[in-house]
Amino acid sequence: MLVIIAVLLAVGVAHAQPAYVTDVFEITLRSGPTNSNKILKMLPSSTPVEVLRTDKDWSLVRSDGVEGWVLARYLTRTAPAALQVERFAKENETLRAKMAEMTEKTSATAGENQALLDRLNSAESELASLKQRYAELEQGSKAYVDLKRAHDELLALQAETAQRAEALEMKNRDLSGDTQFRWFLTGAGVVGASLLFGLVLGRMQRKKTGRMFA
């Protein structure tokens, strides 16, 4: 007998179906299928229960782990309006949260895209500036090369001019020495000739004077 009851209970549990207390009443959950049985608890409207089995006007249900009997006419397979409204409100709140999250992500993505666009524009501007700077440096490099070439040519010309000036100075010195030597020789010759002329003239006067006294 106990085995049969266990099997029946197992079958009843296996075929348990969800149901709800109607949205009009607060019903009693009793220990047996009569109004004279003990009230185990009160089930407010929209309370979900598991229907284990139904016997004529009464249904054996389980609510929050407590099993008892309720009048079957106070149960409905369709969720009551209040519960549906609550469910829809929760779903609506969930959808709002998801929409807000998506909006935030979209805004964040837009902000990231704008930041990326700003960085791209900044990079393009910096690249243009670098290109201009490179062109200026390239032009300046050409001018520097030309200037250095002219500077080197001036240095070479200066060195050549210095060498020529030094050679001319040395030649001038040589010429100046020769001239002074020549003037020295000429002066010495004049002095020598004068002395010789004086000696000759003196001898001639002495001879003339001797003849006069003879």
Side-chain angles (χ1 to χ4, degrees):
M1 185 67 179
L2 294 175
V3 174
I4 296 174
I5 294 174
V7 171
L8 290 175
L9 290 175
V11 171
V13 171
H15 290 81
Q17 296 180 357
Y20 303 91
V21 176
T22 59
D23 54 0
V24 179
F25 302 100
E26 183 180 48
I27 64 176
T28 57
L29 179 67
R30 296 181 180 273
S31 59
T34 64
N35 289 327
S36 60
N37 287 103
K38 180 182 177 180
I39 297 176
L40 301 177
K41 62 185 300 187
M42 301 300 294
L43 299 180
S45 175
S46 303
T47 300
V49 296
E50 291 181 75
V51 179
L52 303 178
R53 64 189 177 92
T54 299
D55 185 5
K56 296 182 180 180
D57 296 334
W58 292 84
S59 295
L60 178 64
V61 300
R62 182 188 295 121
S63 175
D64 294 332
V66 179
E67 292 184 6
W69 294 84
V70 296
L71 288 170
R73 64 177 178 271
Y74 294 148
L75 298 178
T76 176
R77 300 293 183 183
T78 305
L83 186 61
Q84 291 185 20
V85 169
E86 182 180 357
R87 181 182 300 171
F88 290 154
K90 290 181 179 179
E91 291 179 356
N92 189 27
E93 186 65 25
T94 302
L95 290 175
R96 286 178 180 274
K98 289 183 178 179
M99 182 176 293
E101 183 180 358
M102 292 179 63
T103 302
E104 184 178 358
K105 288 183 178 180
T106 303
S107 299
T109 303
E112 292 176 358
N113 291 337
Q114 184 62 39
L116 181 60
L117 182 60
D118 293 340
R119 288 197 296 271
L120 181 60
N121 292 334
S122 178
E124 290 180 352
S125 178
E126 185 175 357
L127 180 60
S129 178
L130 288 175
K131 286 183 178 180
Q132 182 178 1
R133 180 60 178 165
Y134 175 77
E136 292 176 356
L137 289 175
E138 186 178 12
Q139 186 176 2
S141 298
K142 292 180 180 179
Y144 171 76
V145 171
D146 295 339
L147 184 61
K148 189 175 184 304
R149 184 184 297 112
H151 178 68
D152 293 341
E153 291 177 356
L154 287 175
L155 288 178
L157 181 60
Q158 183 180 6
E160 183 179 358
T161 303
Q163 290 179 357
R164 289 182 180 180
E166 186 177 359
L168 289 175
E169 185 177 359
M170 292 179 62
K171 187 174 182 180
N172 187 26
R173 289 177 182 176
D174 294 339
L175 290 176
S176 178
D178 292 342
T179 301
Q180 291 178 359
F181 182 69
R182 289 177 183 177
W183 278 106
F184 175 75
L185 291 178
T186 302
V190 171
V191 173
S194 298
L195 292 175
L196 181 60
F197 180 74
L199 290 175
V200 173
L201 184 59
R203 287 181 181 181
M204 290 177 62
Q205 287 180 352
R206 283 196 298 269
K207 287 182 179 182
K208 184 176 179 181
T209 303
R211 288 178 181 177
M212 289 178 60
F213 286 104

